[in-house]
Amino acid sequence: VVATRFSPCGDEFAAIEQSGDLALWRFGAGGGGDASPLPFVRLQCHGRAGADVTFVDSSVVLATTGLSSPSSAKGAAGGSLALWDALLPPESALIASCAAPAEGGCALLYSAADQSLICGGQRGEVLVYDVRQRRQRLLWTAHTLATRALAMHEKSRRLVSASSDGDIKVWYLGGGG
């Protein structure tokens, strides 16, 4: 497992594995906080590597980043960034994908303020993907090495990116207030 996240309601959590597999667990109804022993959803999201996962405004829509080969198996994303609906059957769970970052994604976060996914890439790029329009909004080279971590302050629209070499940068994404 390379990344885990809680759902917005806190009743589920997701884990993405280095192999590109995504698993979702639901906490037991007994109130003890125990998770079910087996995931209730399993998806092959990225054919070559998984890197990060985040929930998108609900407990059933998730985004993943990693690396997929162009000839990935049916159901696996054709891009480094993918949007999934966990309620759909595995063969139709992929609802959108983006080929950027070209060499694969490393870090991922969701901005509820403008309904966008922000993804850090292996070559130091940062991608902003519009979830509503299902298209890439911005892409720029932020670092010389992989963008490994992202954090966002929604109100001020400030994005912090950090790279493998320890370089940290603050970006203003504009708009939103």
Side-chain angles (χ1 to χ4, degrees):
V1 172
V2 291
T4 59
R5 296 286 183 272
F6 276 102
S7 67
C9 296
D11 58 344
E12 297 171 2
F13 70 95
I16 190 159
E17 299 172 1
Q18 189 173 3
S19 65
D21 289 345
L22 172 73
L24 237 77
W25 285 266
R26 188 171 285 132
F27 285 99
D34 295 334
S36 301
L38 297 173
F40 73 94
V41 171
R42 263 203 165 296
L43 297 170
Q44 173 63 41
C45 294
H46 300 281
R48 293 181 53 199
D52 207 354
V53 60
T54 189
F55 285 88
V56 179
D57 275 341
S58 76
S59 294
V60 296
V61 179
L62 298 101
T64 60
T65 191
L67 182 59
S68 294
S69 60
S71 59
S72 292
K74 184 173 170 78
S80 299
L81 178 63
L83 196 59
W84 304 90
D85 186 332
L87 293 180
L88 295 174
E91 61 276 0
S92 55
L94 177 63
I95 54 178
S97 70
C98 180
E103 296 295 317
C106 301
L108 183 62
L109 66 83
Y110 175 66
S111 170
D114 63 352
Q115 293 184 332
S116 63
L117 292 165
I118 302 169
C119 182
Q122 288 286 353
R123 290 188 172 174
E125 62 267 64
V126 172
L127 163 78
V128 179
Y129 181 83
D130 189 313
V131 173
R132 291 172 294 196
Q133 296 179 9
R134 307 255 166 94
R135 68 176 182 83
Q136 178 181 314
R137 186 182 308 154
L138 295 168
L139 178 66
W140 73 93
T141 302
H143 302 279
T144 55
L145 296 178
T147 304
R148 293 282 178 197
L150 298 166
M152 178 100 178
H153 186 265
E154 295 272 354
K155 190 172 182 176
S156 69
R157 306 293 302 137
R158 299 274 192 291
L159 172 72
V160 177
S161 62
S163 73
S164 295
D165 63 1
D167 191 22
I168 297 173
K169 295 183 179 178
V170 180
W171 308 90
Y172 176 64
L173 296 184

